[in-house]
Amino acid sequence: MSDDGARIDSSVPHSARIWNYWLGGKDNYPVDRAAGEQIRDVFPGIVLSARADRVFLGRAVRHLAGEWGIDQFLDIGTGLPTVDNTHEVAQRSNPASKVVYVDNDPLVLSHGRALLSGTREGATDFVAGDVHDPEAILESAARTLDLSRPVALTLLAIVQFVLDDRKAYDVVRTLVDAVPSGSHLVLSHGTDEINAEAARASVEYWNEHGTPPMVLRTAVRLAPFFEGMELLEPGIVPCSRWRVESPVFGEPPAVAHYCGVAVKP
């Protein structure tokens, strides 16, 4: 057994594995599936939120790679591999794209290193790192990415695990300050401004039974993450409504998960 495998605790539900379960993946344990079902009972819309977040990632990466020519991505809190991972979307637009994935879950690390291989022209790396230590993340990422050139920082459903607002803002600011003009921040975050009662109940259950603890934030509390950057249209919105491609049946329903994409001037 690998060192990573020895540290995997299958007795406690973990966010990355529950997220994988909601996305229809198989890289989870009975305890994760049980917790996922309990949370879904409290908040039936959580699966739709998780899937909208995943689809948002694809739309954002396609937009940045295609419209902005971004060919470097630092994906922090990537979670377990599933369909249309960041490097797959980016390297379809530009096979020379470089992607570094960062996570601190041992199961995520072992699966990521085994499964996330990219094109010969580009580069794909997977490193251990914790969002609470952005300096260490940047040091690891610099082995693959050229941080003197524009980078897309993707932080999907990860900053919600930094409970203190000031600490969370400082983490994101450290990352943004380390990359040059033309870089982008892609961020998503759970909120209690939509389906408020159910969203709060689900987080209360999670914080009692799962790991790591998390917090929900309003759009007003999310705005400082983008301070000093130019928010792309349509601003901070539910993930299901960010640049939806040809909505046949009108605007999609709002999910309790906000997102935003901004460029560093």
Side-chain angles (χ1 to χ4, degrees):
M1 181 179 293
S2 70
D3 291 340
D4 286 340
R7 296 194 299 270
I8 295 171
D9 185 354
S10 62
S11 68
V12 177
H14 191 281
S15 59
R17 303 193 301 263
I18 292 177
W19 203 258
N20 175 264
Y21 173 62
W22 287 333
L23 293 176
K26 299 179 180 179
D27 297 319
N28 45 72
Y29 295 108
V31 67
D32 304 308
R33 296 190 285 275
E37 286 302 313
Q38 289 284 347
I39 294 171
R40 183 158 64 175
D41 287 345
V42 173
F43 184 13
I46 191 63
V47 174
L48 183 60
S49 289
R51 295 178 180 179
D53 180 70
R54 189 69 191 184
V55 175
F56 160 67
L57 171 66
R59 290 201 299 267
V61 172
R62 279 195 299 275
H63 176 71
L64 297 185
E67 298 297 320
W68 290 83
I70 299 295
D71 61 2
Q72 298 192 111
F73 294 81
L74 178 53
D75 188 330
I76 300 171
T78 181
L80 285 153
T82 181
V83 295
D84 268 356
N85 300 289
T86 300
H87 75 285
E88 294 169 323
V89 178
Q91 291 176 353
R92 278 200 294 269
S93 292
N94 180 354
S97 295
K98 297 180 179 180
V99 178
V100 172
Y101 292 100
V102 182
D103 209 289
N104 66 351
D105 184 298
L107 185 64
V108 172
L109 292 170
S110 62
H111 281 249
R113 288 167 179 158
L115 299 176
L116 296 181
S117 59
T119 59
R120 287 183 299 175
E121 301 95 324
T124 306
D125 194 14
F126 211 115
V127 300
D130 191 304
V131 69
H132 293 84
D133 189 356
E135 291 88 355
I137 288 175
L138 291 164
E139 182 178 355
S140 296
R143 295 196 292 264
T144 300
L145 305 180
D146 179 357
L147 300 184
S148 70
R149 296 179 53 247
V151 176
L153 305 165
T154 68
L155 295 98
L156 272 66
I158 184 63
V159 182
Q160 60 204 36
F161 298 110
V162 183
L163 304 184
D164 178 74
D165 279 5
R166 179 47 52 195
K167 171 64 175 176
Y169 300 147
D170 288 346
V171 164
V172 173
R173 180 52 47 197
T174 297
L175 294 167
V176 171
D177 284 350
V179 293
S181 173
S183 294
H184 287 71
L185 173 63
V186 181
L187 186 143
S188 75
H189 198 296
T191 184
D192 57 1
E193 290 191 304
I194 301 166
N195 296 325
E197 185 176 343
R200 291 169 189 156
S202 67
V203 169
E204 182 178 346
Y205 175 88
W206 172 253
N207 287 345
E208 182 178 349
H209 298 282
T211 183
M214 65 176 289
V215 64
L216 300 174
R217 290 185 170 99
T218 64
V220 169
R221 289 171 68 192
L222 293 181
F225 288 118
F226 302 101
E227 186 175 335
M229 306 184 78
E230 178 186 345
L231 259 175
L232 305 187
E233 292 293 337
I236 298 173
V237 296
C239 288
S240 53
R241 294 181 174 177
W242 194 88
R243 301 201 175 200
V244 180
E245 297 153 353
S246 303
V248 177
F249 300 107
E251 191 173 40
V255 296
H257 206 86
Y258 280 142
C259 69
V261 179
V263 59
K264 182 176 179 178

